[in-house]
Amino acid sequence: MKKSEYVYLDNAATTPMDPRVIEVITRHFRETYGNSSSLHSIGQKAGQTLEQARKDIAELINAERSDIIFTASGTEADNMAIKGVAFQNKKRGRHIITSTIEHHAVENPCKYLEENGFSVSYLPVDANGLIELPALEKAIQEDTILISIMTANNEIGTIEPIKEIGKIAHERDILFHTDAVQAFGKIPMDVNELHIDLLSASAHKIYGPKGIGLLYMRNQGERENGKKYIQPILHGGGHEKEMRPATVAVPLIAGFAEAVRLCHAEMDKEAHRQTKLRDKIINWILTHIEDSKLNGHPTRRLPNNVNMSFKYIEGESIVMDLDMEHIAVSTGSACSSKSLDPSHVLLAIGLDAIDAQGSMRATVGRFTTEEDIDYFLEVLPKTVHRLREMSPLKKS
Ligand code: PLP
């Protein structure tokens, strides 16, 4: 396989669009321009495209079509789930459980709720980034209304025991939300088998367009007695069952559905291929670069995620140096990688600030070739060596 012109190993931050998705979107931008709520046939055509996309996506996670609401992003879906459940259930209870390693899209809505009369328990994780179930059980209170735990972590790739978490939540009649933005399309997800009430996903992490996401809401956001368990956080027209009022981005949604379909059609093959590339990077680094360490679970991790710490150097310097060699990697999550604060996720799994600063995340993707990885592993040790030579932290 040939090396790409630019070796892009930052697929957890965002993915390039698959040309097959671009084709679908382009066609729909041209042909399906109606407002899906309009009564005329142009609008009806957009409405049919929208409903077909909803049905296709729902089937792939074993959900009902009517339980999928389209949003503008994973962040919006997370905000809708957390604030929407909190505000709707505040008479029932004001306690929420989440973890210390959530993406800011979950962490910050929780902090916002804390400033507005709710209390939040942030569960610690073990050294591999896994939630411990006894700690979850202990954190549950009489007034707990929501448990929100991510399916897989965006920085270290650890896959959480969400089936067990969902089961615990349901036994106690607590709603379970999972931020599946990183896992969706990469590992099989069945909302029934996993006891999920609310699930957030985003198209741009799976070779789809930026600006579109979804929230799965079990039973259209209603309890068995017909009472709503979630309310909208945006107020406007009646689109998306009034949960997400805005003119619906039908061409993007058609592209999202195509991206999901492709992920599912190619999931086994890609998971196998990417796991091989992932493990090749991890094993090579651990054997050839001294004072390097793997962050996250050794096996229970996303097929595309590598996160390593290199002693005595800073992740930012690695990113800048590799960029000059036409290789893209990242430090923490993309959203916080402009900040020099150590990653809250790496601190949560027990790294000290220095090891956390020396971390690099490399995430392979559908378009990563074996040659890309060979080139990366040729350049990386030279980069690490050069930076260590200059480092004031280097051991004498
Ligand atoms: N949740 C996780 C785990 C993520 O990795 C991201 C993006 O990095 C988000 C939420 C936010 O998704 P979006 O970029 O679609 O707002």
Side-chain angles (χ1 to χ4, degrees):
M1 261 188 289
K2 228 171 114 6
K3 177 179 93 59
S4 322
E5 239 168 61
Y6 195 103
V7 175
Y8 185 72
L9 298 177
D10 202 11
N11 287 279
T14 193
T15 51
M17 273 202 339
D18 190 299
R20 295 167 289 184
V21 174
I22 296 178
E23 213 177 294
V24 169
I25 292 184
T26 312
R27 176 161 54 80
H28 281 291
F29 268 129
R30 237 185 258 119
E31 296 172 6
T32 320
Y33 55 86
N35 185 323
S36 54
S37 300
S38 297
L39 288 178
H40 49 65
S41 50
I42 299 286
Q44 294 296 300
K45 192 176 156 199
Q48 281 159 12
T49 304
L50 170 64
E51 291 316 317
Q52 187 62 46
R54 206 190 303 276
K55 179 167 174 284
D56 292 350
I57 294 177
E59 271 174 15
L60 295 170
I61 56 169
N62 197 19
E64 294 295 324
R65 180 179 63 84
S66 50
D67 290 352
I68 304 278
I69 294 291
F70 289 105
T71 65
S73 61
T75 301
E76 190 183 302
D78 285 339
N79 270 267
M80 253 173 92
I82 294 164
K83 292 185 205 160
V85 165
F87 293 141
Q88 182 67 15
N89 292 281
K90 60 179 188 276
K91 288 203 183 106
R92 214 174 141 226
R94 286 174 168 256
H95 179 241
I96 292 165
I97 299 175
T98 186
S99 82
T100 45
I101 61 163
E102 298 296 314
H103 190 273
H104 292 310
V106 166
E107 187 193 351
N108 287 338
C110 285
K111 284 190 179 150
Y112 171 81
L113 289 174
E114 280 184 291
E115 287 161 12
N116 286 277
F118 291 82
S119 71
V120 181
S121 299
Y122 296 89
L123 295 180
V125 290
D126 71 11
N128 288 324
L130 283 175
I131 298 283
E132 289 170 3
L133 299 176
L136 169 66
E137 303 221 42
K138 229 172 121 190
I140 293 175
Q141 303 175 3
E142 278 287 293
D143 61 343
T144 306
I145 49 172
L146 176 69
I147 296 175
S148 177
I149 303 288
M150 66 202 323
T151 311
N153 184 267
N154 46 300
E155 292 188 40
I156 55 174
T158 298
I159 300 172
E160 297 298 339
I162 59 162
K163 183 174 178 177
E164 291 75 9
I165 295 171
K167 193 159 174 281
I168 292 171
H170 282 186
E171 279 164 5
R172 310 288 190 94
D173 197 22
I174 298 168
L175 292 163
F176 175 45
H177 166 247
T178 190
D179 173 344
V181 169
Q182 290 292 337
F184 188 75
K186 296 193 189 93
I187 58 174
M189 294 205 70
D190 175 325
V191 290
N192 295 317
E193 200 187 307
L194 298 171
H195 311 286
I196 295 168
D197 295 308
L198 298 135
L199 173 150
S200 312
S202 180
H204 76 94
K205 307 285 189 186
I206 57 164
Y207 315 94
K210 290 163 184 59
I212 197 81
L214 67 80
L215 180 66
Y216 159 76
M217 302 184 316
R218 178 175 296 281
N219 200 22
Q220 298 184 52
E222 284 180 11
R223 293 184 181 279
E224 269 155 27
N225 58 12
K227 282 212 170 124
K228 283 267 172 215
Y229 62 75
I230 183 166
Q231 60 176 247
I233 56 168
L234 290 180
H235 300 90
H239 306 89
E240 296 296 274
K241 301 188 196 74
E242 296 182 7
M243 278 304 294
R244 206 281 177 171
T247 301
V248 183
V250 176
L252 297 183
I253 290 168
F256 191 4
E258 178 67 4
V260 177
R261 197 188 62 70
L262 291 170
C263 280
H264 279 259
E266 298 170 7
M267 189 180 282
D268 289 349
K269 184 182 94 200
E270 273 303 302
H272 180 71
R273 195 184 71 84
Q274 293 185 26
T275 301
K276 261 176 75 183
L277 295 177
R278 176 196 80 184
D279 290 345
K280 177 170 171 169
I281 302 175
I282 294 173
N283 294 331
W284 195 95
I285 293 177
L286 290 175
T287 28
H288 291 89
I289 304 186
E290 64 172 13
D291 290 323
S292 60
K293 169 184 179 309
L294 175 69
N295 298 318
H297 199 284
T299 51
R300 235 191 117 97
R301 67 190 299 133
L302 289 174
N304 72 333
N305 177 290
V306 174
N307 189 313
M308 314 283 306
S309 282
F310 300 99
K311 271 203 187 306
Y312 319 119
I313 53 180
E314 290 200 334
E316 285 76 17
S317 314
I318 306 178
V319 173
M320 303 312 284
D321 238 62
L322 290 179
D323 188 43
M324 288 197 288
E325 305 291 341
H326 295 179
I327 298 169
V329 295
S330 94
T331 51
S333 71
C335 322
S336 59
S337 56
K338 284 198 179 123
S339 134
L340 289 178
D341 291 341
S343 139
H344 69 288
V345 175
L346 297 179
L347 296 180
I349 60 171
L351 266 63
D352 61 28
I354 291 185
D355 276 351
Q357 299 271 20
S359 79
M360 174 203 76
R361 181 185 70 180
T363 40
V364 302
R366 183 178 290 164
F367 305 111
T368 311
T369 67
E370 186 94 32
E371 282 214 352
D372 288 344
I373 301 309
D374 291 341
Y375 173 65
F376 172 54
L377 294 178
E378 185 190 314
V379 174
L380 181 70
K382 295 180 201 157
T383 298
V384 171
H385 180 73
R386 189 171 52 248
L387 294 172
R388 279 185 176 162
E389 284 297 300
M390 297 183 319
S391 167
L393 300 169
K394 193 179 149 248
K395 61 182 172 186
S396 47

